[in-house]
Amino acid sequence: MNPTLWRRLLAEFIGTALLVAAVVGSGIMATRLSDDIGLQLLENSVATAFALGALILTFGPVSGAHFNPVVSTADWFLGRRSGTGLSARDLAGYVMAQVAGAIGGAILADLMFKLPAVDFSTKDRTGSDLWLGEVVATAGLLLLIFALARSGRAAVAPAAVGAYIGAAYWFTSSTSFANPAVTIGRAFTETFAGIAPGAVPGFIAAQLAGLAVGVGLLLALYPSVGSAAGDVVVRSEPLEESHR
């Protein structure tokens, strides 16, 4: 039997919270350990990449370890015709759990480093160059995740997705947020990883554009990709009742 919805939502909430805690917490630690911005970004990106891979391994068998409304939306859209992936009801729950988890993760990171629990960021991240970076990062993430699922290689998703996000920190102008929930969560912390609340809508709009681009490319490259929506991000094998 597959995990019940409440268990999947709990996994998405905790997983997204720990992902944002890793992003924000490693950013705080990086600024305390070094004055060099390049080294700070390296420390932040490496910690995030490893944490993301570990979190996908941990929560993938329960919820698929989406941790990202864009991934969940693509999963619903691509799988709706074949009856795989998320239902509309599941999608709504996933998005709410992810956003709540992201905010909670930012607060948790602030508290771990003796900072105010909620201190909205003043770091302005706006501009067409950054938005283009988010389109590229988001579309690339979707291409990777669904291509792995479609080709039967979902098992390598933890390493591949972690590696992609770690690399995208460096090859995109926006440092690859690529996640509306994480973007919202990072507005709640006045630290290295923060984003000013006023800059959030622009980032989310760019991520949604990346969603459209990514889905379009997937349908062009893998016309039957929807049949693999149930395997995103990690194949969710049925669980025995004794393990529930």
Side-chain angles (χ1 to χ4, degrees):
M1 297 179 65
N2 286 320
T4 55
L5 180 58
W6 75 264
R7 289 176 62 192
R8 288 185 282 139
L9 296 183
L10 180 61
E12 287 295 301
F13 173 82
I14 297 173
T16 309
L18 291 177
L19 173 60
V20 175
V23 173
V24 175
S26 62
I28 297 170
M29 182 65 79
T31 58
R32 292 184 178 182
L33 293 176
S34 173
D35 294 326
D36 183 271
I37 295 177
L39 184 56
Q40 292 170 358
L41 184 61
L42 177 62
E43 293 161 348
N44 190 207
S45 62
V46 169
T48 300
F50 280 116
L52 179 56
L55 291 171
I56 293 173
L57 284 172
T58 302
F59 296 103
V62 181
S63 68
H66 293 186
F67 311 148
N68 188 336
V70 164
V71 174
S72 298
T73 300
D75 189 64
W76 162 76
F77 181 82
L78 292 171
R80 73 194 191 289
R81 292 182 180 176
S82 58
T84 58
L86 297 178
S87 67
R89 172 173 171 261
D90 291 350
L91 173 61
Y94 266 52
V95 171
M96 288 188 288
Q98 291 157 357
V99 172
I103 295 171
I107 293 172
L108 176 62
D110 283 342
L111 291 176
M112 285 194 294
F113 287 90
K114 292 186 177 181
L115 297 174
V118 175
D119 188 9
F120 291 107
S121 177
T122 59
K123 184 171 290 187
D124 190 32
R125 299 178 189 261
T126 58
S128 58
D129 56 330
L130 301 185
W131 299 331
L132 178 59
E134 281 300 285
V135 173
V136 171
T138 306
L141 177 63
L142 292 177
L143 282 171
L144 171 64
I145 290 172
F146 284 87
L148 290 175
R150 179 64 184 85
S151 59
R153 295 175 293 164
V156 304
V161 174
Y164 174 82
I165 291 298
Y169 261 77
W170 292 90
F171 73 73
T172 64
S173 56
S174 62
T175 65
S176 183
F177 285 46
N179 185 328
V182 169
T183 302
I184 293 171
R186 289 169 68 161
F188 283 74
T189 177
E190 176 66 309
T191 61
F192 179 80
I195 177 173
V200 168
F203 262 56
I204 293 179
Q207 290 155 3
L208 294 178
L211 166 64
V213 172
V215 167
L217 289 173
L218 282 166
L219 290 173
L221 294 169
Y222 303 96
S224 61
V225 66
S227 62
D231 297 335
V232 175
V233 172
V234 171
R235 183 183 300 275
S236 184
E237 299 289 354
L239 300 181
E240 297 294 336
E241 182 65 27
S242 61
H243 293 164
R244 290 169 62 81

